[in-house]
Amino acid sequence: MNSESHNGQNDKTTLIRDLLAGIGHDHARYQQLSGLLKEQRDAMIACQADTVTAVNEALMVCYQALNQSASQRYRCLKTLRLPADARGVDFLFSRLPENLAGQTRGQWKALQQQAQACQALNERNGLLLTMQQEIMQPLVKTGQADFLYSR
């Protein structure tokens, strides 16, 4: 084996290792995201605007990290000349040693479930926000200084 092909194999190994490590990091990020979304809901219900603002800032950091990780996964798959979608991930996992493939598939499935759970929490928070806005809208219409008095 010449050094060029050996380096190419090392590069692929590094890409795969990074991709697998990213799945683990994303697992922790989605746990954090889930907690933040629950905290956001609680703060919205309690009308704690300062807490909502702080949580929203933390959510943006978490979303950015997850987006960067997804972009890195996309680049890794493309560099490995695999489809940058579920087919590419499945193919990659099928080429791993059996014990690692099983473990990795389990982590990937758990990650997908976490993402779906966070999406549901986010949608629920969006509905709560919409309901709060609908309740407040008639009370604070522009130009109605006497909204606190009934006629």
Side-chain angles (χ1 to χ4, degrees):
M1 180 184 310
N2 65 32
S3 65
E4 192 173 306
S5 66
H6 182 70
N7 284 341
Q9 187 61 35
N10 284 341
D11 291 345
K12 285 182 181 181
T13 302
T14 300
L15 283 171
I16 294 167
R17 189 178 313 128
D18 290 349
L19 190 142
L20 299 180
I23 292 171
H25 295 307
D26 280 356
H27 176 71
R29 287 183 187 116
Y30 272 107
Q31 286 180 323
Q32 178 188 17
L33 180 60
S34 177
L36 287 169
L37 289 168
K38 290 173 185 173
E39 188 178 345
Q40 181 188 48
R41 181 175 181 79
D42 292 344
M44 286 171 29
I45 290 170
C47 297
Q48 298 170 329
D50 290 343
T51 303
V52 170
T53 299
V55 170
N56 286 347
E57 290 172 6
L59 281 168
M60 290 308 298
V61 170
C62 195
Y63 287 139
Q64 288 170 348
L66 286 166
N67 188 48
Q68 287 174 347
S69 182
S71 294
Q72 180 181 358
R73 205 166 16 257
Y74 177 89
R75 286 189 304 272
C76 284
L77 289 168
K78 283 298 190 184
T79 302
L80 293 168
R81 294 190 172 114
L82 295 173
D85 57 17
R87 294 175 300 135
V89 172
D90 287 340
F91 182 83
L92 176 63
F93 291 171
S94 74
R95 297 297 187 246
L96 296 174
E98 191 172 321
N99 62 334
L100 183 59
Q103 175 188 352
T104 304
R105 278 192 179 98
Q107 289 176 335
W108 184 250
K109 184 175 181 171
L111 186 63
Q112 289 173 317
Q113 290 170 344
Q114 284 181 295
Q116 290 171 345
C118 286
Q119 184 178 4
L121 287 171
N122 190 51
E123 288 173 4
R124 187 179 73 167
N125 288 359
L127 289 173
L128 175 60
L129 181 60
T130 299
M131 288 174 15
Q132 287 178 333
Q133 288 174 335
E134 287 174 357
I135 290 169
M136 295 302 295
Q137 186 94 27
L139 300 177
V140 293
K141 283 187 178 177
T142 307
Q144 290 189 348
D146 59 354
F147 67 88
L148 293 175
Y149 306 97
S150 65
R151 293 185 183 184

